[in-house]
Amino acid sequence: MRVALMVTCVNDAMFPGTGQAVVRLLRRLGVDVDFPQAQTCCGQPMVNTGYLDEAVPAVRSFVRAFEGYDAVVTPSGSCAGSARHQHRLVAERSGDPGLAAAVAETSPRTYELSEFLVDVLGVTDVGAYFPHSVTYHPTCHSLRMLGVGDRPRRLLERVRGLRLVDLPKAEECCGFGGTFALKNADTSVAMGSDKARHVRETGAEVLVAGDNSCLMHIGGVLGRGRAGVRVLHLAEILASTEEQPA
Amino acid sequence: MTGTFVGMPAFPSAARAALADTQLRHNLAHATGVIRGKRAAVVGEVDNWEELRLAGAAVKERALLALDTQLVRLEESLTAHGAVVHWARDAEEANRIVVGLARAHEVDEVVKVKSMLTQEIGLNEALEAAGIAAWETDLAELIVQLGGDLPSHILVPAIHRNRAEIREIFARRMGEVGRPAPADLTDEPAVLAGAAREHLREKFLRARMAVSGANFAVADTGTLVVVESEGNGRMCLTLPEVLVSIVGIEKVVPTWAELDPLLRLLPRSSTGERMNPYTSTWSGITPGDGPQEVHVVLLDNGRTRALADEVGRQALRCIRCSACLNVCPVYERTGGHAYGSVYPGPIGAILNPLLRGTGDPQTDALPYASSLCGACFEACPVRIDIPEVLVHLRSQVVDGHREDRVPKPEAVAFRGAGWAFGDARRLDRAERLSSLAGRLLRRRGRTSLGRLPGPGSAWTDARDLPAPPTESFRDWWRRTDGGERP
Ligand code: SF4
């Protein structure tokens, strides 16, 4: 099986550790993972802000970079959701039937990490070790746009040493929302502060989620409050071992 | 907050003001939390909720796709039952019709029930200008009216008020407009409701004309339907001699039988009840019983504009249950007034631009008043994909500014990003700059950026931003061959 990593623009530029964790994890599970250098961004920042024309080049480079792979794996619920639900809109708008056809090819083969592990590889025990208390925030796009359901929890429950603590109001949005975080900064921060408060209430050492953008926002609020809670991407916990802890 | 919604500031600044009001935030969080819980519980009882949602959406969709014939059918059947049907293109026409009817009957006051539509068109103000007083009879509407306030929720217009505030409003204002509140008024809900009852009863018995809205209008049978919790609507609909109902054209439902899924979806989604307490239906005139003159004003006011929008038209399916408001994390924090319309929350964020068109700063801000979390779509009983419509409307806002002589900084930035994302080499160069900055910062021991000037301050005023890493993932992969080389 030819598997490509779609690292996402945010992870590429800001959180390379997450991409590295996916690579380590997939290799450990025997997957030969490739990183197509031509990839850029899924186009979601443009689409969600209303710049559909501006998203066309990103979608074009996406389908070009991932052409021919059996599966495209990404450590982001929101970017996987974008590939699956928004690329069609962008392609339609471009008026290029070739692009629409390529999108129809790639979209269904694009998986968020937990989906790929559970549905395609059929594993829930990935052989990870992480001896800490952890609380899980299901990011909105993983939860509602993709419907990853309890897959991340099932994966976390099988991590040795890990103690999973329930997050109050887990399903409520953290207030990131891409450009929402800037355009409606006050509302975004108000939502983020409530989320941060719920995280602190759990007493967990680590907050985990499947999207670094949301974690950057919640972590940013927690950081300003000096809460001492670590935020980590799901991939980093799943990649963690006794020899190479996260 | 007094006056009308028109000309209210755009969402971000209106929201800022609301966020600063801690009492308001507390009232909202508490109230929406309670309704949310009740709704979730009663929706959970229904095995085939998803099927019911699909059925409800289908009924409304069918009606909307044949709206022209359904409306003609409705007019025929209403007329056959002795009602007079009026057509109004916009707010002004509708107000003129109602004021004209009040004048023809020489009334100087009307009682009102169940009509957000009259709030949408500013009917109370139009009547007042003509020297006619309009009394709201829905308890929450009464609170809003007496408080000189604006509604902030579809179903619970006074959701932003607590008991103590309501007691104060009743004690201060009731006497000025009718029967005063009793001297021993407390803030017990039952005592407050009792005072409202005495106050309103006088008005019901005196008024000769009533104005109502309708939740549904059945084309086949010419039946208007009002669903309510207090029974005050029933008084309005039966006691006065003249009844004028203002109905948005999207309220039409083809047949009586098709009300079934809608009447099952509505109470569970809205008040979290299995069944609503009062359902009133009427078809024209019944000789010797109830109003002997019945008028129905069918109003467009932007609805055909919304209908013409292929993605946006689903918003006309809305049955005003307010479930989307109650689950919306943005609404929960900002309240309804920030949306600058009688339709707040997620549905307001799409309905207002659809009805009025994008292009002014206030409607242009609304599609962005959402984090696109999707909770509204999940809750909506008629499956309106609100996030989809939001994104669609955002693109209309952006497209409306494509010809601007001086593009907005945001447009310039997205054009630049679009260009960079078109080619990995361009992106690579941008990332080199960022890792250079990261190396400089980290050399000085900084892991986060502190407070940024300019547009970046919108992020860093209240949140840390991590310093960029010293090497992008792309560079790491190239340098180590994906971790194969150290
Ligand atoms: S959009 Fe849906 S959830 Fe919101 S008020 Fe309308 S019917 Fe209810």
Side-chain angles (χ1 to χ4, degrees), chain A residues 129-169:
Chain A
Y129 174 70
F130 191 75
H132 302 282
S133 57
V134 169
T135 191
Y136 169 70
H137 168 58
T139 60
C140 299
H141 288 177
S142 307
L143 187 70
R144 302 194 185 90
M145 200 175 351
L146 282 182
V148 300
D150 65 350
R151 292 178 184 86
R153 285 191 70 96
R154 277 155 65 198
L155 290 158
L156 287 168
E157 276 160 8
R158 308 297 287 272
V159 173
R160 278 183 305 121
L162 187 146
R163 193 162 63 78
L164 199 55
V165 193
D166 279 338
L167 177 64
K169 296 202 173 189

Side-chain angles (χ1 to χ4, degrees), chain A residues 182-235:
Chain A
L182 301 175
K183 281 178 176 278
N184 282 288
D186 301 291
T187 311
S188 167
V189 168
M191 291 161 68
S193 307
D194 287 342
K195 182 60 75 177
R197 180 162 46 81
H198 296 313
V199 170
R200 283 195 306 267
E201 275 166 22
T202 65
E205 296 161 73
V206 177
L207 169 70
V208 63
D211 260 293
N212 273 328
S213 316
C214 308
L215 286 175
M216 181 170 77
H217 166 71
I218 309 170
V221 177
L222 283 167
R224 195 52 62 90
R226 314 236 170 274
V229 181
R230 230 181 132 194
V231 299
L232 267 182
H233 192 283
L234 177 67

